[in-house]
Amino acid sequence: MPLPAYLILAALVFAIGLFGVLTRRNAVGILLGIELMLNAVNINLVAFARFRADIGGLIFTMLTIAITVAEVAVGLAIVIAIFRVRRTIEADHLDLLRG
Amino acid sequence: MIAETVGFWVMAVVLVGGSLGVVLTPNLFHAAVLYLPAALVATGAIFWLLESPFLFGVQLLLYAGGVVTVVVFAIMLTERLVGASIRQGSRFVFNGAVLAAALFVGVVGFIVQRAAPPAPPAPAGEQMVALGRALVGPFGAALQLLAVLLVAALLGALYFARAED
């Protein structure tokens, strides 16, 4: 398959993830949407690494995968901590910082 | 070549279907244990199609293994605390769809304007060796920083989620 096929697929998954981030009410659902967006970026990185014959894209993908795992761990810990205090993880109800 | 084309389309359908399931299903648990792993494994298979079997393994281990497990733990913990199944509604569906579609159209318009570079011949066999050399050579500092980041993130997660006492 040519490079644009992979890039368009990645763009589609990124757009779907963005839709999830924008529309989900639940904080965990928003995190899942962010996962999809990061995943789409990884497809782009690997595709460019393949079609430019450059190892850097693969290294970058490994680093982003590991960073994403850390981000998920911290994000879900924050969700659990918020849930303990507020008894909800509805993003619309978490407006403590609203003026 | 024909196998790659068929594999790409099958994996593309699974990936897009799984992604749509993640953002559209009303049951958060289904999104986490069914659709998200499907999308992540399909992504790993696309890495394989792009001749990076090592990244396929990394994707399976870290994403489909680790991330999904952590997400399921978080959902179970919050549901256990509230004692009921969490509803997963959506809001601003129309606005979100318009924005996402606009982003997709813009990116695709940019992609199709550019001429596709010809695929170079795949480097045969030595990808693992090259990855290993790069990770301890030019990217060694990044690898060490990643280790620091992981420790800090785990300690931070532990701190946030610890029991109040």
Side-chain angles (χ1 to χ4, degrees):
Chain A
M1 295 300 286
L3 176 61
Y6 291 102
L7 298 186
I8 290 173
L9 176 66
L12 183 58
V13 175
F14 190 89
I16 293 172
L18 179 68
F19 174 78
V21 171
L22 291 174
T23 59
R24 281 311 208 187
R25 288 183 185 280
N26 191 311
V28 176
I30 293 174
L31 272 175
L32 295 187
I34 293 174
E35 290 302 305
L36 286 181
M37 293 167 76
L38 288 162
N39 221 26
V41 173
N42 285 344
I43 295 176
N44 265 3
L45 286 172
V46 177
F48 278 118
R50 165 72 181 84
F51 282 88
R52 295 181 63 85
D54 188 347
I55 200 86
L58 302 182
I59 303 283
F60 244 82
T61 310
M62 286 181 57
L63 298 183
T64 52
I65 287 175
I67 290 170
T68 307
V69 173
E71 171 250 327
V72 168
V74 174
L76 289 174
I78 292 174
V79 166
I80 292 174
I82 289 174
F83 189 85
R84 283 225 184 86
V85 178
R86 302 294 305 271
R87 309 307 286 180
T88 180
I89 48 174
E90 296 259 319
D92 288 344
H93 296 165
L94 305 176
D95 53 2
L96 270 179
L97 291 180
R98 183 177 288 172
Chain B
M1 186 55 78
I2 189 75
E4 192 205 347
T5 306
V6 172
F8 174 80
W9 283 110
V10 170
M11 284 310 143
V13 168
V14 174
L15 177 54
V16 172
S19 305
L20 284 174
V22 169
V23 300
L24 290 178
T25 179
N27 188 330
L28 189 58
F29 203 69
H30 288 171
V33 298
L34 180 63
Y35 298 116
L36 186 67
L40 297 178
V41 172
T43 307
I46 284 175
F47 290 167
W48 190 302
L49 288 177
L50 287 163
E51 284 148 16
S52 305
F54 177 66
L55 278 178
F56 173 67
V58 171
Q59 174 90 3
L60 278 191
L61 278 174
L62 283 184
Y63 257 116
V67 168
V68 170
T69 311
V70 173
V71 171
V72 168
F73 264 115
I75 294 174
M76 297 301 278
L77 276 176
T78 48
E79 284 198 349
R80 179 64 53 85
L81 284 174
V82 82
S85 176
I86 293 179
R87 299 296 303 165
Q88 165 69 316
S90 297
R91 52 154 212 256
F92 307 140
V93 172
F94 179 75
N95 298 0
V98 167
L99 198 55
L103 178 101
F104 176 66
V105 170
V107 172
V108 169
F110 183 75
I111 290 171
V112 296
Q113 278 179 9
R114 318 289 291 190
E126 82 281 17
Q127 189 197 45
M128 291 287 295
V129 178
L131 266 176
R133 284 192 195 285
L135 272 180
V136 295
F139 294 96
L143 190 68
Q144 296 303 317
L145 282 175
L146 189 67
V148 174
L149 175 87
L150 280 176
V151 172
L154 286 180
L155 289 179
L158 206 59
Y159 174 77
F160 276 125
R162 79 196 188 288
E164 300 288 337
D165 50 357

